[in-house]
Amino acid sequence: NAGVTQTPKFQVLKTGQSMTLQCAQDMNHEYMSWYRQDPGMGLRLIHYSVGAGITDQGEVPNGYNVSRSTTEDFPLRLLSAAPSQTSVYFCASSYSRTVGISDGYTFGSGTRLTVV
Amino acid sequence: GQQLNQSPQSMFIQEGEDVSMNCTSSSIFNTWLWYKQEPGEGPVLLIALYKAGELTSNGRLTAQFGITRKDSFLNISASIPSDVGIYFCAGQRGSEKLVFGKGTKLTVNP
């Protein structure tokens, strides 16, 4: 099993460009989520999905869009990149949003994004 | 919103020493998790705690779910160089958002 796969691993964008960060999991997990990690800020939730066709906002959703057309894939779209979106992005998945019944979230290895 | 205070922020220790770190919250949690993140990788789950007072081990790692349900502790015994990384605590109440601490960066000198 590959677990959670994120692509690309690294990306440099110019301000105003758009792009999609890919996330795929092969564990048949219903719950998927996107986090950003910034120095001294820990992991902050951007968007999440409890199943195909269902998405919701996290604590820092502005500037990002998501969709969940299949159980396996949960892409994150940057609509118009800004330097403030320079960060490391992690996708995580689980059987359930409730970790007590799902043995925690499985994380991908991250996408390091730089916006210049 | 809910916040976790994780301490210390960083630790520099000699190989063979024991390590302790903790997380405290103003809110009660039902579940506590401890993750480790190595450079260039995503966090990996080390230990999950589901009941107040629970003490769980994973090799040289031992974690405890505080009796008040507002704190958790992680101990690493006899540290080795591969213990280097950032350790995160995370807590959840019911099906609410999983809240992460800001991490403890561990450096082990051989």
Side-chain angles (χ1 to χ4, degrees):
Chain A
N1 282 345
V4 178
T5 303
Q6 289 186 239
T7 55
K9 187 101 174 148
F10 301 95
Q11 183 71 49
V12 178
L13 286 179
K14 293 183 179 178
T15 298
Q17 287 185 317
S18 62
M19 80 159 294
T20 299
L21 279 63
Q22 301 292 344
C23 175
Q25 52 88 12
D26 61 357
M27 299 172 283
N28 202 32
H29 284 171
E30 290 294 327
Y31 181 77
M32 296 185 74
S33 53
W34 277 101
Y35 291 86
R36 61 177 289 172
Q37 184 177 36
D38 302 294
M41 301 292 289
L43 289 157
R44 293 184 291 170
L45 182 64
I46 304 171
H47 285 287
Y48 66 94
S49 169
V50 297
I54 305 169
T55 64
D56 208 344
Q57 295 181 351
E59 58 186 299
V60 288
N62 292 341
Y64 307 96
N65 271 0
V66 292
S67 59
R68 184 96 179 270
S69 55
T70 67
T71 298
E72 295 78 20
D73 300 297
F74 190 45
L76 178 72
R77 296 183 189 85
L78 278 70
L79 309 172
S80 177
S84 61
Q85 293 179 304
T86 294
S87 186
V88 182
Y89 292 84
F90 290 100
C91 179
S93 74
S94 176
Y95 287 113
S96 168
R97 183 181 184 186
T98 305
V99 296
I101 60 173
S102 64
D103 291 332
Y105 297 174
T106 301
F107 283 83
S109 59
T111 295
R112 185 173 294 272
L113 176 68
T114 302
V115 182
V116 297
Chain B
Q2 296 173 322
Q3 289 187 339
L4 287 182
N5 297 312
Q6 187 171 352
S7 64
Q9 281 188 319
S10 61
M11 303 182 75
F12 298 84
I13 64 170
Q14 294 297 124
E15 183 177 358
E17 289 183 358
D18 296 342
V19 172
S20 291
M21 59 190 78
N22 69 84
C23 271
T24 60
S25 169
S26 57
S27 304
I28 289 174
F29 287 123
N30 300 119
T31 306
W32 284 94
L33 306 176
W34 284 92
Y35 282 88
K36 179 187 178 186
Q37 184 180 23
E38 298 185 2
E41 298 295 328
V44 174
L45 184 66
L46 298 173
I47 293 177
L49 301 161
Y50 302 109
K51 201 163 69 171
E54 181 180 355
L55 189 70
T56 298
S57 294
N58 179 3
R60 292 177 295 102
L61 277 62
T62 301
Q64 184 163 23
F65 193 141
I67 201 74
T68 65
R69 295 169 63 192
K70 292 183 177 182
D71 54 10
S72 181
F73 309 88
L74 177 69
N75 295 315
I76 305 173
S77 62
S79 59
I80 59 178
S82 62
D83 289 333
V84 164
I86 302 176
Y87 292 80
F88 290 97
C89 62
Q92 189 180 46
R93 180 171 60 191
S95 62
E96 295 178 4
K97 182 185 72 168
L98 183 65
V99 181
F100 285 87
K102 295 184 178 179
T104 294
K105 185 175 182 179
L106 179 64
T107 302
V108 180
N109 296 316

Short mmCIF file of all heavy atoms in Angstrom, two decimals, chain A residues 56-109:
data_model
loop_
_atom_site.label_atom_id
_atom_site.label_comp_id
_atom_site.label_asym_id
_atom_site.label_seq_id
_atom_site.Cartn_x
_atom_site.Cartn_y
_atom_site.Cartn_z
N ASP A 56 -15.66 20.85 3.64
CA ASP A 56 -15.95 21.92 4.59
C ASP A 56 -14.67 22.67 4.89
O ASP A 56 -13.55 22.16 4.64
CB ASP A 56 -16.55 21.37 5.88
CG ASP A 56 -17.46 22.39 6.57
OD1 ASP A 56 -17.38 23.60 6.24
OD2 ASP A 56 -18.23 21.98 7.45
N GLN A 57 -14.83 23.89 5.40
CA GLN A 57 -13.68 24.75 5.68
C GLN A 57 -13.06 24.43 7.03
O GLN A 57 -13.76 24.09 7.99
CB GLN A 57 -14.12 26.22 5.65
CG GLN A 57 -14.60 26.68 4.29
CD GLN A 57 -15.00 28.15 4.30
OE1 GLN A 57 -15.08 28.77 5.35
NE2 GLN A 57 -15.25 28.70 3.14
N GLY A 58 -11.74 24.61 7.08
CA GLY A 58 -11.02 24.51 8.34
C GLY A 58 -10.81 25.90 8.90
O GLY A 58 -11.63 26.80 8.72
N GLU A 59 -9.65 26.09 9.56
CA GLU A 59 -9.41 27.37 10.21
C GLU A 59 -8.75 28.40 9.33
O GLU A 59 -8.82 29.60 9.60
CB GLU A 59 -8.58 27.15 11.48
CG GLU A 59 -7.25 26.48 11.24
CD GLU A 59 -6.54 26.15 12.56
OE1 GLU A 59 -6.24 27.09 13.31
OE2 GLU A 59 -6.27 24.96 12.79
N VAL A 60 -8.12 27.99 8.22
CA VAL A 60 -7.45 28.95 7.32
C VAL A 60 -7.80 28.65 5.86
O VAL A 60 -6.94 28.34 5.04
CB VAL A 60 -5.91 28.94 7.53
CG1 VAL A 60 -5.54 29.59 8.84
CG2 VAL A 60 -5.35 27.51 7.46
N PRO A 61 -9.08 28.77 5.45
CA PRO A 61 -9.50 28.35 4.12
C PRO A 61 -9.31 29.38 3.01
O PRO A 61 -9.36 29.03 1.82
CB PRO A 61 -10.99 28.10 4.31
CG PRO A 61 -11.39 29.10 5.37
CD PRO A 61 -10.20 29.19 6.29
N ASN A 62 -9.09 30.65 3.39
CA ASN A 62 -9.08 31.70 2.37
C ASN A 62 -7.94 31.52 1.36
O ASN A 62 -6.79 31.33 1.73
CB ASN A 62 -8.95 33.08 3.03
CG ASN A 62 -10.20 33.43 3.82
OD1 ASN A 62 -11.26 32.86 3.61
ND2 ASN A 62 -10.07 34.35 4.76
N GLY A 63 -8.30 31.60 0.07
CA GLY A 63 -7.33 31.46 -1.00
C GLY A 63 -7.18 30.04 -1.52
O GLY A 63 -6.39 29.79 -2.43
N TYR A 64 -7.95 29.13 -0.95
CA TYR A 64 -7.86 27.71 -1.32
C TYR A 64 -9.26 27.15 -1.64
O TYR A 64 -10.23 27.51 -0.99
CB TYR A 64 -7.27 26.87 -0.18
CG TYR A 64 -5.97 27.35 0.38
CD1 TYR A 64 -5.94 28.16 1.52
CD2 TYR A 64 -4.76 26.99 -0.20
CE1 TYR A 64 -4.75 28.60 2.05
CE2 TYR A 64 -3.55 27.41 0.33
CZ TYR A 64 -3.56 28.22 1.46
OH TYR A 64 -2.37 28.64 1.99
N ASN A 65 -9.29 26.26 -2.62
CA ASN A 65 -10.51 25.52 -2.93
C ASN A 65 -10.22 24.03 -2.92
O ASN A 65 -9.10 23.61 -3.23
CB ASN A 65 -11.04 25.88 -4.32
CG ASN A 65 -11.99 27.06 -4.27
OD1 ASN A 65 -12.27 27.61 -3.21
ND2 ASN A 65 -12.47 27.46 -5.43
N VAL A 66 -11.25 23.24 -2.60
CA VAL A 66 -11.12 21.79 -2.65
C VAL A 66 -12.37 21.20 -3.28
O VAL A 66 -13.42 21.84 -3.34
CB VAL A 66 -10.92 21.15 -1.26
CG1 VAL A 66 -9.56 21.52 -0.66
CG2 VAL A 66 -12.06 21.55 -0.32
N SER A 67 -12.25 19.97 -3.72
CA SER A 67 -13.39 19.19 -4.18
C SER A 67 -13.09 17.72 -3.87
O SER A 67 -11.92 17.34 -3.70
CB SER A 67 -13.63 19.37 -5.68
OG SER A 67 -12.48 18.97 -6.41
N ARG A 68 -14.12 16.91 -3.78
CA ARG A 68 -13.92 15.48 -3.48
C ARG A 68 -14.90 14.69 -4.35
O ARG A 68 -16.01 14.37 -3.96
CB ARG A 68 -14.21 15.22 -1.99
CG ARG A 68 -13.93 13.77 -1.57
CD ARG A 68 -12.59 13.60 -0.98
NE ARG A 68 -12.33 12.25 -0.55
CZ ARG A 68 -12.60 11.77 0.67
NH1 ARG A 68 -13.16 12.57 1.57
NH2 ARG A 68 -12.30 10.53 0.98
N SER A 69 -14.45 14.40 -5.56
CA SER A 69 -15.32 13.67 -6.48
C SER A 69 -15.18 12.16 -6.31
O SER A 69 -16.08 11.41 -6.70
CB SER A 69 -15.00 14.06 -7.94
OG SER A 69 -13.63 13.85 -8.20
N THR A 70 -14.09 11.70 -5.74
CA THR A 70 -13.91 10.28 -5.47
C THR A 70 -13.43 10.09 -4.04
O THR A 70 -12.94 11.03 -3.41
CB THR A 70 -12.87 9.63 -6.41
OG1 THR A 70 -11.57 10.18 -6.10
CG2 THR A 70 -13.19 9.90 -7.88
N THR A 71 -13.54 8.88 -3.53
CA THR A 71 -13.04 8.59 -2.18
C THR A 71 -11.53 8.75 -2.13
O THR A 71 -10.98 9.18 -1.12
CB THR A 71 -13.41 7.15 -1.78
OG1 THR A 71 -14.84 7.04 -1.75
CG2 THR A 71 -12.86 6.80 -0.40
N GLU A 72 -10.84 8.42 -3.23
CA GLU A 72 -9.38 8.36 -3.22
C GLU A 72 -8.68 9.71 -3.30
O GLU A 72 -7.58 9.87 -2.80
CB GLU A 72 -8.90 7.49 -4.40
CG GLU A 72 -9.29 6.03 -4.32
CD GLU A 72 -10.73 5.79 -4.72
OE1 GLU A 72 -11.33 6.65 -5.41
OE2 GLU A 72 -11.28 4.74 -4.32
N ASP A 73 -9.27 10.69 -3.98
CA ASP A 73 -8.56 11.92 -4.32
C ASP A 73 -9.15 13.15 -3.64
O ASP A 73 -10.38 13.30 -3.55
CB ASP A 73 -8.59 12.13 -5.84
CG ASP A 73 -7.92 10.98 -6.57
OD1 ASP A 73 -6.72 10.78 -6.37
OD2 ASP A 73 -8.63 10.26 -7.32
N PHE A 74 -8.26 14.04 -3.23
CA PHE A 74 -8.69 15.27 -2.56
C PHE A 74 -7.73 16.39 -2.94
O PHE A 74 -6.82 16.74 -2.18
CB PHE A 74 -8.73 15.05 -1.05
CG PHE A 74 -9.40 16.16 -0.27
CD1 PHE A 74 -10.59 16.72 -0.68
CD2 PHE A 74 -8.83 16.61 0.91
CE1 PHE A 74 -11.21 17.73 0.05
CE2 PHE A 74 -9.44 17.62 1.66
CZ PHE A 74 -10.62 18.17 1.23
N PRO A 75 -7.87 16.98 -4.13
CA PRO A 75 -6.95 18.01 -4.57
C PRO A 75 -7.20 19.35 -3.89
O PRO A 75 -8.35 19.69 -3.57
CB PRO A 75 -7.22 18.09 -6.08
CG PRO A 75 -8.63 17.62 -6.23
CD PRO A 75 -8.85 16.60 -5.16
N LEU A 76 -6.12 20.10 -3.71
CA LEU A 76 -6.19 21.44 -3.13
C LEU A 76 -5.78 22.44 -4.20
O LEU A 76 -4.69 22.34 -4.75
CB LEU A 76 -5.24 21.55 -1.93
CG LEU A 76 -5.16 22.91 -1.25
CD1 LEU A 76 -6.44 23.19 -0.45
CD2 LEU A 76 -3.94 22.98 -0.32
N ARG A 77 -6.64 23.40 -4.46
CA ARG A 77 -6.37 24.39 -5.51
C ARG A 77 -6.05 25.74 -4.91
O ARG A 77 -6.79 26.24 -4.05
CB ARG A 77 -7.58 24.52 -6.44
CG ARG A 77 -7.89 23.26 -7.22
CD ARG A 77 -9.06 23.45 -8.18
NE ARG A 77 -9.45 22.17 -8.75
CZ ARG A 77 -10.29 21.32 -8.16
NH1 ARG A 77 -10.83 21.63 -6.99
NH2 ARG A 77 -10.59 20.17 -8.73
N LEU A 78 -4.95 26.32 -5.38
CA LEU A 78 -4.62 27.69 -5.04
C LEU A 78 -5.10 28.55 -6.21
O LEU A 78 -4.68 28.36 -7.35
CB LEU A 78 -3.11 27.87 -4.86
CG LEU A 78 -2.54 27.49 -3.50
CD1 LEU A 78 -2.58 25.98 -3.29
CD2 LEU A 78 -1.13 28.03 -3.34
N LEU A 79 -5.99 29.47 -5.93
CA LEU A 79 -6.65 30.20 -6.99
C LEU A 79 -5.77 31.28 -7.60
O LEU A 79 -5.70 31.45 -8.81
CB LEU A 79 -7.94 30.82 -6.45
CG LEU A 79 -8.84 29.81 -5.70
CD1 LEU A 79 -9.98 30.53 -5.01
CD2 LEU A 79 -9.34 28.75 -6.65
N SER A 80 -5.09 32.03 -6.75
CA SER A 80 -4.20 33.11 -7.18
C SER A 80 -3.11 33.21 -6.11
O SER A 80 -3.33 33.85 -5.08
CB SER A 80 -4.97 34.43 -7.32
OG SER A 80 -4.09 35.48 -7.67
N ALA A 81 -2.00 32.55 -6.35
CA ALA A 81 -0.99 32.38 -5.30
C ALA A 81 -0.46 33.72 -4.79
O ALA A 81 -0.25 34.66 -5.56
CB ALA A 81 0.16 31.53 -5.84
N ALA A 82 -0.24 33.75 -3.48
CA ALA A 82 0.32 34.92 -2.82
C ALA A 82 1.53 34.48 -1.98
O ALA A 82 1.56 33.32 -1.53
CB ALA A 82 -0.73 35.57 -1.92
N PRO A 83 2.49 35.38 -1.75
CA PRO A 83 3.65 35.01 -0.93
C PRO A 83 3.27 34.45 0.43
O PRO A 83 3.99 33.61 0.98
CB PRO A 83 4.42 36.32 -0.82
CG PRO A 83 4.08 37.04 -2.09
CD PRO A 83 2.64 36.72 -2.35
N SER A 84 2.13 34.89 0.99
CA SER A 84 1.68 34.39 2.30
C SER A 84 1.30 32.91 2.25
O SER A 84 1.13 32.28 3.31
CB SER A 84 0.49 35.20 2.80
OG SER A 84 -0.60 35.07 1.89
N GLN A 85 1.18 32.36 1.06
CA GLN A 85 0.85 30.94 0.93
C GLN A 85 2.11 30.06 0.81
O GLN A 85 1.99 28.84 0.65
CB GLN A 85 -0.07 30.71 -0.27
CG GLN A 85 -1.45 31.34 -0.07
CD GLN A 85 -2.37 31.15 -1.26
OE1 GLN A 85 -2.03 31.53 -2.38
NE2 GLN A 85 -3.53 30.58 -1.01
N THR A 86 3.26 30.68 0.91
CA THR A 86 4.51 29.91 1.00
C THR A 86 4.46 29.09 2.28
O THR A 86 4.30 29.63 3.38
CB THR A 86 5.72 30.85 1.02
OG1 THR A 86 5.80 31.52 -0.24
CG2 THR A 86 7.00 30.08 1.29
N SER A 87 4.56 27.77 2.13
CA SER A 87 4.37 26.90 3.28
C SER A 87 4.65 25.46 2.85
O SER A 87 4.93 25.18 1.68
CB SER A 87 2.92 27.02 3.78
OG SER A 87 2.74 26.29 4.97
N VAL A 88 4.58 24.57 3.81
CA VAL A 88 4.59 23.14 3.52
C VAL A 88 3.17 22.63 3.73
O VAL A 88 2.58 22.87 4.79
CB VAL A 88 5.58 22.38 4.42
CG1 VAL A 88 5.59 20.90 4.04
CG2 VAL A 88 6.98 22.97 4.31
N TYR A 89 2.65 21.95 2.73
CA TYR A 89 1.27 21.49 2.76
C TYR A 89 1.23 19.98 2.94
O TYR A 89 1.91 19.24 2.25
CB TYR A 89 0.56 21.88 1.46
CG TYR A 89 0.36 23.36 1.34
CD1 TYR A 89 1.37 24.18 0.83
CD2 TYR A 89 -0.82 23.96 1.76
CE1 TYR A 89 1.21 25.55 0.74
CE2 TYR A 89 -1.00 25.33 1.67
CZ TYR A 89 0.02 26.12 1.16
OH TYR A 89 -0.15 27.47 1.08
N PHE A 90 0.39 19.55 3.89
CA PHE A 90 0.23 18.12 4.16
C PHE A 90 -1.22 17.71 3.97
O PHE A 90 -2.14 18.40 4.40
CB PHE A 90 0.65 17.78 5.59
CG PHE A 90 2.13 17.87 5.81
CD1 PHE A 90 2.68 18.97 6.43
CD2 PHE A 90 2.96 16.83 5.40
CE1 PHE A 90 4.05 19.05 6.64
CE2 PHE A 90 4.32 16.90 5.60
CZ PHE A 90 4.87 18.01 6.21
N CYS A 91 -1.37 16.57 3.33
CA CYS A 91 -2.66 15.92 3.21
C CYS A 91 -2.70 14.79 4.23
O CYS A 91 -1.68 14.12 4.46
CB CYS A 91 -2.83 15.38 1.80
SG CYS A 91 -4.39 14.52 1.49
N ALA A 92 -3.85 14.59 4.87
CA ALA A 92 -3.99 13.51 5.84
C ALA A 92 -5.32 12.81 5.62
O ALA A 92 -6.29 13.42 5.18
CB ALA A 92 -3.93 14.06 7.27
N SER A 93 -5.36 11.52 5.92
CA SER A 93 -6.61 10.77 5.74
C SER A 93 -6.82 9.82 6.91
O SER A 93 -5.88 9.48 7.66
CB SER A 93 -6.60 9.99 4.42
OG SER A 93 -5.74 8.87 4.50
N SER A 94 -8.07 9.37 7.05
CA SER A 94 -8.43 8.48 8.15
C SER A 94 -9.77 7.83 7.84
O SER A 94 -10.53 8.33 7.01
CB SER A 94 -8.53 9.29 9.45
OG SER A 94 -8.96 8.48 10.51
N TYR A 95 -10.08 6.74 8.51
CA TYR A 95 -11.40 6.12 8.36
C TYR A 95 -12.49 7.08 8.80
O TYR A 95 -13.59 7.10 8.27
CB TYR A 95 -11.50 4.83 9.18
CG TYR A 95 -10.71 3.69 8.60
CD1 TYR A 95 -9.60 3.19 9.26
CD2 TYR A 95 -11.07 3.11 7.39
CE1 TYR A 95 -8.86 2.15 8.72
CE2 TYR A 95 -10.34 2.07 6.85
CZ TYR A 95 -9.24 1.60 7.52
OH TYR A 95 -8.52 0.56 6.99
N SER A 96 -12.18 7.89 9.81
CA SER A 96 -13.18 8.79 10.38
C SER A 96 -12.52 10.06 10.87
O SER A 96 -11.34 10.05 11.23
CB SER A 96 -13.90 8.10 11.54
OG SER A 96 -14.68 9.02 12.28
N ARG A 97 -13.26 11.16 10.90
CA ARG A 97 -12.75 12.39 11.48
C ARG A 97 -12.46 12.18 12.98
O ARG A 97 -11.58 12.81 13.54
CB ARG A 97 -13.76 13.52 11.30
CG ARG A 97 -13.25 14.83 11.83
CD ARG A 97 -14.27 15.95 11.69
NE ARG A 97 -13.68 17.21 12.12
CZ ARG A 97 -14.35 18.34 12.22
NH1 ARG A 97 -15.62 18.38 11.92
NH2 ARG A 97 -13.75 19.43 12.61
N THR A 98 -13.21 11.30 13.60
CA THR A 98 -13.04 11.03 15.03
C THR A 98 -11.89 10.06 15.21
O THR A 98 -12.01 8.87 14.90
CB THR A 98 -14.34 10.44 15.62
OG1 THR A 98 -15.42 11.33 15.33
CG2 THR A 98 -14.22 10.26 17.11
N VAL A 99 -10.77 10.53 15.74
CA VAL A 99 -9.57 9.69 15.82
C VAL A 99 -9.77 8.55 16.81
O VAL A 99 -9.07 7.54 16.71
CB VAL A 99 -8.32 10.52 16.19
CG1 VAL A 99 -8.02 11.53 15.09
CG2 VAL A 99 -8.47 11.21 17.53
N GLY A 100 -10.70 8.72 17.73
CA GLY A 100 -10.92 7.67 18.71
C GLY A 100 -11.40 6.36 18.10
O GLY A 100 -11.27 5.31 18.71
N ILE A 101 -11.95 6.42 16.90
CA ILE A 101 -12.41 5.19 16.26
C ILE A 101 -11.66 4.94 14.97
O ILE A 101 -12.06 4.11 14.16
CB ILE A 101 -13.93 5.25 15.98
CG1 ILE A 101 -14.28 6.43 15.06
CG2 ILE A 101 -14.71 5.31 17.27
CD1 ILE A 101 -15.72 6.44 14.62
N SER A 102 -10.55 5.65 14.76
CA SER A 102 -9.88 5.52 13.47
C SER A 102 -8.37 5.39 13.59
O SER A 102 -7.69 5.40 12.59
CB SER A 102 -10.20 6.73 12.60
OG SER A 102 -9.67 7.90 13.21
N ASP A 103 -7.84 5.27 14.79
CA ASP A 103 -6.40 5.10 14.97
C ASP A 103 -5.58 6.25 14.37
O ASP A 103 -4.51 6.03 13.83
CB ASP A 103 -5.92 3.78 14.36
CG ASP A 103 -6.44 2.58 15.13
OD1 ASP A 103 -6.67 2.74 16.35
OD2 ASP A 103 -6.62 1.51 14.53
N GLY A 104 -6.09 7.46 14.46
CA GLY A 104 -5.30 8.60 14.05
C GLY A 104 -5.30 8.87 12.56
O GLY A 104 -5.85 8.10 11.78
N TYR A 105 -4.72 9.97 12.18
CA TYR A 105 -4.65 10.37 10.77
C TYR A 105 -3.31 9.91 10.18
O TYR A 105 -2.28 9.98 10.84
CB TYR A 105 -4.74 11.89 10.64
CG TYR A 105 -6.04 12.51 11.11
CD1 TYR A 105 -6.18 13.88 11.14
CD2 TYR A 105 -7.12 11.74 11.51
CE1 TYR A 105 -7.36 14.48 11.57
CE2 TYR A 105 -8.30 12.32 11.95
CZ TYR A 105 -8.41 13.69 11.98
OH TYR A 105 -9.58 14.28 12.40
N THR A 106 -3.35 9.49 8.91
CA THR A 106 -2.14 9.15 8.16
C THR A 106 -1.80 10.34 7.27
O THR A 106 -2.64 10.79 6.48
CB THR A 106 -2.36 7.90 7.30
OG1 THR A 106 -2.73 6.80 8.13
CG2 THR A 106 -1.08 7.54 6.55
N PHE A 107 -0.56 10.80 7.38
CA PHE A 107 -0.13 11.97 6.62
C PHE A 107 0.68 11.58 5.39
O PHE A 107 1.40 10.57 5.41
CB PHE A 107 0.74 12.88 7.50
CG PHE A 107 -0.04 13.70 8.49
CD1 PHE A 107 -0.43 13.15 9.70
CD2 PHE A 107 -0.38 15.01 8.20
CE1 PHE A 107 -1.15 13.91 10.62
CE2 PHE A 107 -1.10 15.77 9.11
CZ PHE A 107 -1.49 15.22 10.32
N GLY A 108 0.58 12.41 4.34
CA GLY A 108 1.49 12.30 3.22
C GLY A 108 2.82 12.94 3.57
O GLY A 108 3.00 13.47 4.67
N SER A 109 3.75 12.91 2.62
CA SER A 109 5.10 13.42 2.89
C SER A 109 5.23 14.90 2.59
O SER A 109 6.29 15.48 2.81
CB SER A 109 6.13 12.63 2.09
OG SER A 109 5.86 12.72 0.71
#
